[in-house]
Amino acid sequence: MKLFGSSGTRGVVGDGLTPEFVLRVAKAAGTVWASDRAVVARDTRTTGEMFSDAATSGLASVGVDVDVLGPVPTPGVVRYCEVEEVPAVVVTASHNPPEYNGIKLVGDDGVELSVSDLERIEEHILAEDFATAAWDEVGEIREVDSANREYVEDLLAAADREAIADAGLTVALDPGHGAGCLTSPEFFRELGCEVVTVNANADGRFPGRESEPVGSKLGDLCRLVKASDADVGVAHDGDADRAVFVDEHGEFVAGEASLAALAAAHLGPNDTTVAAVNVSQRLVDVCEETGADLELTPIGATNIITRIRDLWARGETVPVAGEGNGGVFFPDYRLVRDGAYTAAKFLELVAERPTSEVVAPYSDYVNVRVNLPYESDAELEAMLDAAHEYAEASEATPNTTDGYRLDYGDAWVLVRPSGTEPKVRVYAEARNEERATELASGAEEALKDALDRV
């Protein structure tokens, strides 16, 4: 696909993403969808309202009535779509920096659109083939202010409130100025937790920290955990579909470790879990210990969702799935990454023993990630050619599910282009930092050499 990547379409506002483009996406979606009603929602980014207005206009112009939800976490929008049986245009760039925005498309079943559905919409965008309505048939627009409240109520009904409340937990929460500010503080308090917050005012400039909840950006949360003697710290990204954690000592918990802990608690023999090709050895170990199967996909929520649905069609059970970035699926609850629900499932584990003990069995690997930006298609092509040559020259057999993954038994390295930013990413994992850095640096140098020759 030319327009849609591993999680919708994103770009820098005014340079790759414009109101005109969003208008066209919405017109195409409204043309393709067999629905006379749809939803528009957004995260807290400063450009969100502008793009929300463009999407609303696009849908209305092809005769679709529009429910405008305002700022809502992506999983809250998905819940609304499932309950109301309407599709949605979600204006969000998730974890990207504030100058970015983007579009996710959700079907009337409450699931992000499949690749085949996105391809149909993309064809209409590129051909500018829209079912423009006559003046007296344009869609009606109404504002809906209940989506966040109903989302929290839904979460509370699904979580083990009694177990969490009985543990008397203190939760330090960092929603990162994103849509989670509007729901997660209330949710955790209603679960019976004492809640202290940082970066909990909705602000699309993300003044307190960058939107991506990685360890190097969560210093405020780590300090808050220590200062408040909290049992756990929780951080979200911009649209609150991720949750990452800090232990009771104020130490960042790798997303790969928390995913492994959650998987160990929910997987059993004959179950299957789904993860992206950058899967951690931690999850591989859990599958071996529990007797569960592991299915790998290209990186991105859309790919994981598609594989889960394929497994369901074959009669297989998938209790948990996801990536090591904090994006976890509990498909039996809802087929969406949900940061608040993931945190609740993690709190159920913390209710039984300290956070550090929950993740201790999965903490003996080190992960390194390097981002190499590019400015032209020629630079991207040069780096991908270099990645191919590097993989072919290695002693490991490349896995080419998504990019080039090289497994060495004790460690692995993966090189792939980002699906959301103009970057090529290098991932590495090993049992010690020296080995992980060595693998990442080797691939990085090969790609940089290629860039220097462009």
Side-chain angles (χ1 to χ4, degrees):
M1 292 186 293
K2 296 181 179 179
L3 302 179
F4 295 101
S6 59
S7 188
T9 182
R10 297 179 195 166
V12 174
V13 175
D15 181 16
L17 193 78
T18 64
E20 293 82 3
F21 174 72
V22 173
L23 180 81
R24 290 167 60 210
V25 171
K27 290 172 71 173
T31 297
V32 169
W33 285 332
S35 177
D36 57 6
R37 178 172 158 233
V39 170
V40 172
R42 60 185 175 89
D43 64 19
T44 60
R45 290 167 190 271
T46 57
T47 57
E49 188 169 8
M50 173 179 72
F51 289 124
S52 177
D53 289 346
T56 300
S57 295
L59 289 168
S61 74
V62 294
V64 177
D65 295 338
V66 186
D67 293 356
V68 180
L69 305 190
V72 179
T74 291
V77 184
V78 165
R79 187 215 68 85
Y80 189 93
C81 291
E82 179 185 309
V83 171
E84 297 291 329
E85 298 182 344
V86 290
V89 177
V90 186
V91 179
T92 178
S94 187
H95 63 277
N96 288 77
E99 64 270 23
Y100 280 78
N101 217 322
I103 298 293
K104 287 182 181 181
L105 299 176
V106 179
D108 59 10
D109 56 355
V111 180
E112 289 184 37
L113 295 191
S114 66
V115 171
S116 60
D117 288 334
L118 291 173
E119 287 175 342
R120 286 181 61 210
I121 290 171
E122 185 171 291
E123 289 173 1
H124 282 262
I125 296 171
L126 295 175
E128 298 198 13
D129 180 12
F130 311 125
T132 304
W135 70 270
D136 56 348
E137 295 178 348
V138 299
E140 296 182 359
I141 299 167
R142 69 170 186 141
E143 295 187 359
V144 177
D145 61 6
S146 61
N148 282 324
R149 181 178 67 255
E150 292 169 353
Y151 168 57
V152 171
E153 291 171 354
D154 190 84
L155 287 169
L156 290 168
D160 190 343
R161 298 177 70 175
E162 183 176 354
I164 295 170
D166 287 349
L169 300 175
T170 297
V171 175
L173 174 65
D174 180 355
H177 303 292
C181 295
L182 307 173
T183 53
S184 283
E186 177 187 355
F187 173 50
F188 293 126
R189 291 189 178 104
E190 289 292 328
L191 284 176
C193 301
E194 181 74 24
V195 180
V196 292
T197 63
V198 64
N199 302 322
N201 59 310
D203 188 334
R205 295 176 177 83
F206 308 130
R209 69 160 169 90
E210 294 179 18
S211 183
E212 187 170 17
V214 295
S216 61
K217 308 299 181 184
L218 297 179
D220 288 344
L221 180 60
C222 293
R223 287 185 287 273
L224 180 60
V225 168
K226 291 180 181 179
S228 61
D229 197 26
D231 296 284
V232 64
V234 179
H236 295 315
D237 60 337
D239 66 336
D241 66 352
R242 297 190 195 183
V244 299
F245 304 100
V246 170
D247 72 16
E248 74 276 14
H249 305 300
E251 297 294 326
F252 174 70
V253 174
E256 295 83 2
S258 55
L259 173 59
L262 289 164
H266 292 89
L267 289 176
N270 302 318
D271 287 335
T272 303
T273 187
V274 180
V277 69
N278 62 340
V279 64
S280 168
Q281 185 65 33
R282 300 166 174 90
L283 186 58
V284 176
D285 293 344
V286 167
C287 289
E288 291 178 353
E289 292 165 3
T290 61
D293 293 327
L294 173 63
E295 293 263 344
L296 296 185
T297 74
I299 290 175
T302 299
N303 298 309
I304 292 177
I305 289 169
T306 299
R307 186 65 57 85
I308 291 171
R309 289 179 128 177
D310 290 343
L311 291 167
W312 278 348
R314 291 175 2 209
E316 299 190 35
T317 57
V318 187
V320 63
E323 299 176 282
N325 58 11
V328 181
F329 293 86
F330 289 90
D332 292 337
Y333 167 62
R334 187 164 284 122
L335 195 50
V336 64
R337 298 180 299 188
D338 189 325
Y341 186 75
T342 297
K345 301 305 287 183
F346 195 77
L347 290 183
E348 291 173 12
L349 304 182
V350 176
E352 298 179 355
R353 59 194 187 280
T355 303
S356 59
E357 293 183 16
V358 169
V359 299
Y362 318 106
S363 300
D364 55 354
Y365 276 84
V366 176
N367 293 85
V368 174
R369 189 175 85 172
V370 177
N371 294 319
L372 296 171
Y374 58 86
E375 296 181 355
S376 67
D377 289 342
E379 290 183 346
L380 171 60
E381 185 176 349
M383 284 197 284
L384 294 182
D385 287 344
H388 174 76
E389 293 172 6
Y390 183 81
E392 290 297 317
S394 76
E395 60 191 51
T397 301
N399 179 319
T400 57
T401 300
D402 184 3
Y404 299 91
R405 176 176 168 132
L406 305 173
D407 282 289
Y408 295 94
D410 67 322
W412 57 265
V413 62
L414 168 69
V415 181
R416 67 175 289 274
S418 168
T420 59
E421 298 178 86
K423 296 176 181 178
V424 174
R425 304 195 194 279
V426 179
Y427 307 81
E429 181 181 72
R431 290 189 179 273
N432 61 72
E433 188 169 358
E434 182 179 3
R435 175 68 165 146
T437 301
E438 174 192 15
L439 287 173
S441 297
E444 179 186 10
E445 289 173 10
L447 269 60
K448 282 185 173 179
D449 286 347
L451 276 179
D452 290 341
R453 296 193 297 270
V454 175

